[in-house]
Amino acid sequence: MATTTDTVLEVCDLRTHFHTDDGLVKAVDGVSFSVRRGETLGLVGESGSGKSVACLSALRLVPTPPAAHPSGVIRFAGKDLLTLPERDLERLRGNRLAMIFQDPLTALNPYLSVGRQLTEVLEVHEGATPAAARRAAIEMLTRVGIPAAGQRIDQYPHQFSGGMRQRVMIAMALLCGPEVLFADEPTTALDVTIQAQILDLIGELQASLGTAVVLVTHDLGVVAGTADRVAVMYAGRIVEEGTTAEVFANPLHPYTQGLLASMPRIDTPSRQRLAAIPGLPPDLGQLPSGCPFHPRCQQAGDRCRQAYPEVVIASPTHRAACWETEAVS
Amino acid sequence: MTGYLVRRVLELVPTALVIIAASFALVRLAPGSPFSSEKEISPEIRRQLEAKYGFDRPLPEQFVRYVRNLLQGDLGLSTKYPQRSVNEIIATGFPVTLSLAAVALVWSLLVGMTAGIIGAVRQNTVWDHSAMMAALVGISVPSFVLGPLLVLLFSLRLQMLPPAGWGDWRHLILPGLTLGTIYAASIARLTRGGMLEVIRSDYIRTARAKGLAERLVITRHMLRGGLLPVVSYLGPAIASMLTGSVVVEKIFNLPGIGPYFVDAAFNRDYFLVMGIVLLYAFFLLLMNLVVDLLYGLLDPRIDHA
Ligand SMILES: Nc1ncnc2c1ncn2[C@@H]1O[C@H](COP(=O)(O)OP(=O)(O)O)[C@@H](O)[C@H]1O
Ligand SMILES: [Mg+2]
């Protein structure tokens, strides 16, 4: 087992609240997790559970307003990212902490050539000369599988296909060899056939650079093949966390159980209707009392309606927040 | 690109023909004639005058002759100033009008873009509100009020600039500010709107995620997309600055083309009216073409192949 000195990023009790016209939205409300060097943490949950906001908060990229400044502590390289001066944070972003986004078409600047969007990263963080930056950018584009990178570097994002654009995004994020990469649903906008290629590519580069990856997805299938550990988010909190093997073999939280049951599998006929979790994801502006999952939970009892659950510890690496589950391991 | 340019210029030919025919018809169908105000002239002299300008010929024939002369660059003779050709009048007056419009353009872009960018980047702050309040005032104050106010302040009070008349570039400053302010206000609003749209876009978040300093995020990533609405506005704006200079040239007593245009219309100075109308139309078409080309340069998704 890896020692704690391997931990590159530690998020403690992160809270990001939005002040909207409909009231206070607690998009992230007491989230804690950490990632080790070279590790992949899958951050899973239905849409609207706060996964993106959690990642953006770590880089302080959530617009304030409408959000209040995130609270908590995010330890990286001996510093707290949430209190770091803006100038110092800029030195880390895109350099030691990188992020890629769901839609590579809107995430790339349509008015600048792909090359310009890559070289500026090296110029800003490494003081590279334009010529050196260009050489490094071509090299990186080749590495992420862009054919004829020497020519394509002068083209614009709209001249690339969806998969190629995401490769460009990945190249851009990994140029400086970051210690942590937040990948926010990097394959959701892509064709199924291309999804696996992109995940493989991230895995390869991660292995060679030793980058820790926080892989955000709503698809447990993505997590199964790639993540070392899984954190399941519901309504702005992490409700279960464990190694991928533990979570898949022995899901503790009824929500995780529901997600697993609704996962398409190879061993069941595809016609068979998937057992979706009943009900709708909650409105974060009007959460029910107690456990926010209780209105959708078949096992919910009185305690669940009254107070947020205590943590159940199944193993040193596996825990969940649920009143009803038994900590059998 | 060259092919595109040739095609665009060729497309202008039918437009130009329609403009020539329509303005010819409008000018000729207007009641009155060039010599109707000069009551004293005898029918004999009147006939001679009409023969001199070809007004005794049937209208279609006159039109053909006009177009033929036009193709040779000859805009005809003024009836009000018989010793001067329309070409001469335009050649002396138009450079003044053009310089005035240039000063107005530079001023409106400088002020409008700055105010719009500040308004967007500091959205909903005191900066934003003051900039947009100033824009509202700028749009609402007519030039015959703003012009005299500027003269009062800069010429009579501070004695920094000449109040009126023509000499050197200093005579263009106050008229330029007067003419440009209303456009500055529109440009400020367009810039702010365009920038706000861009500020919320994903690629700006990406630029920040890359660790770029805010200054670079604004100058390199926001301005291009944010200023596109201003670019499309510039074509009609420049054309309208040229025509709109009439009032300002009157206020500041500048020897531009504007006052000639008004007088020519009152006097039914057929060829002079036509000449100036065609000049304005030419500039409008030219500016729209330039703006389209500029737009293509700024937005790589537009392919002028
Ligand atoms: N800019 C914003 N303004 C107001 N609310 C927001 C904003 N961004 C996100 N939220 C809210 O935060 C919650 C979590 O969003 P998000 O992190 O994007 O979910 P996920 O990535 O898990 O799908 C949502 O309920 C959303 O309404
Ligand atoms: Mg998301």
Side-chain angles (χ1 to χ4, degrees), chain A residues 46-53 102 184-185 216:
Chain A
E46 286 168 307
S47 150
S49 54
K51 308 180 298 290
S52 298
V53 173
Q102 175 169 336
D184 189 358
E185 313 225 19
V216 173

Side-chain angles (χ1 to χ4, degrees), chain A residues 56 61 90 93-94 97 99 101 106-112 116-117 120-121 123-125 156 158 169 172, chain B residues 201-214 216 220-222 224-226 228 298-301:
Chain A
L56 290 168
L61 289 174
E90 278 166 10
R93 282 183 194 143
L97 297 161
M99 185 156 184
F101 302 95
T106 57
L108 290 169
N109 189 329
Y111 304 111
L112 296 178
R116 189 71 194 103
Q117 298 185 58
E120 66 179 354
V121 178
E123 288 172 13
V124 164
H125 293 302
Y156 292 86
H158 72 273
M169 272 302 290
M172 204 159 85
Chain B
S201 64
D202 282 2
Y203 65 82
I204 295 305
R205 189 178 60 190
T206 307
R208 296 212 172 92
K210 290 200 275 191
L212 303 187
E214 191 60 20
L216 210 54
R220 188 178 294 163
H221 287 268
M222 285 183 195
R224 272 280 190 108
L228 281 183
L298 287 174
D299 190 343
R301 285 167 299 183

Side-chain angles (χ1 to χ4, degrees), chain A:
Chain A
M1 217 190 98
T3 60
T4 47
T5 51
D6 269 354
T7 299
V8 285
L9 179 87
E10 194 179 1
V11 175
C12 302
D13 201 28
L14 177 67
R15 283 165 211 274
T16 308
H17 296 174
F18 289 92
H19 298 277
T20 71
D21 295 339
D22 304 327
L24 187 66
V25 172
K26 297 180 177 179
V28 173
D29 199 29
V31 160
S32 303
F33 63 83
S34 63
V35 275
R36 300 190 192 94
R37 198 184 130 74
E39 176 188 53
T40 300
L41 171 71
L43 194 56
V44 194
E46 286 168 307
S47 150
S49 54
K51 308 180 298 290
S52 298
V53 173
C55 294
L56 290 168
S57 302
L59 290 178
R60 276 183 16 212
L61 289 174
V62 184
T64 51
H69 191 87
S71 73
V73 177
I74 299 178
R75 262 189 281 280
F76 176 80
K79 296 169 193 122
D80 176 11
L81 296 182
L82 292 185
T83 54
L84 210 56
E86 186 68 24
R87 187 70 203 87
D88 294 347
L89 190 64
E90 278 166 10
R91 289 204 188 95
L92 297 178
R93 282 183 194 143
N95 184 15
R96 300 177 63 184
L97 297 161
M99 185 156 184
I100 55 183
F101 302 95
Q102 175 169 336
D103 186 349
L105 179 59
T106 57
L108 290 169
N109 189 329
Y111 304 111
L112 296 178
S113 74
V114 158
R116 189 71 194 103
Q117 298 185 58
L118 262 70
T119 53
E120 66 179 354
V121 178
L122 292 163
E123 288 172 13
V124 164
H125 293 302
E126 297 179 355
T129 63
R134 187 180 167 86
R135 247 178 286 123
I138 294 175
E139 195 178 304
M140 195 65 193
L141 286 173
T142 310
R143 206 164 154 194
V144 299
I146 308 263
Q151 282 106 61
R152 302 217 69 183
I153 188 168
D154 293 317
Q155 295 188 330
Y156 292 86
H158 72 273
Q159 292 166 294
F160 289 74
S161 69
M164 286 293 160
R165 271 180 218 135
Q166 196 58 293
R167 286 173 194 268
V168 169
M169 272 302 290
I170 292 169
M172 204 159 85
L174 297 183
L175 269 175
C176 297
E179 283 137 90
V180 182
L181 172 70
F182 294 94
D184 189 358
E185 313 225 19
T187 60
T188 306
L190 305 177
D191 288 348
V192 197
T193 48
I194 295 165
Q195 289 186 5
Q197 295 173 14
I198 294 293
L199 290 174
D200 286 348
L201 175 66
I202 294 175
E204 270 165 43
L205 292 163
Q206 171 185 22
S208 70
L209 297 169
T211 303
V213 175
V214 178
L215 179 66
V216 173
T217 176
H218 62 268
D219 182 357
L220 272 176
V222 165
V223 164
T226 46
D228 301 298
R229 290 189 303 120
V230 179
V232 180
M233 264 190 98
Y234 189 81
R237 306 207 203 197
I238 290 178
V239 296
E240 179 159 2
E241 190 189 342
T243 66
T244 308
E246 286 170 327
V247 171
F248 276 70
N250 178 29
L252 297 174
H253 199 284
Y255 178 61
T256 316
Q257 291 161 9
L259 284 180
L260 280 167
S262 61
M263 217 176 112
R265 309 181 77 100
I266 338 164
D267 52 4
T268 52
S270 57
R271 291 268 194 78
Q272 194 176 310
R273 273 214 55 157
L274 300 170
I277 302 169
L280 292 170
D283 176 355
L284 293 186
Q286 286 164 355
L287 285 181
S289 62
C291 172
F293 187 60
H294 84 253
R296 301 169 73 187
C297 183
Q298 269 136 11
Q299 301 165 34
D302 283 342
R303 258 189 316 183
C304 304
R305 287 179 251 285
Q306 281 149 18
Y308 194 81
E310 281 166 15
V311 173
V312 178
I313 297 175
S315 86
T317 50
H318 191 194
R319 54 180 60 203
C322 178
W323 288 121
E324 298 298 322
T325 197
E326 297 295 319
V328 280
S329 57

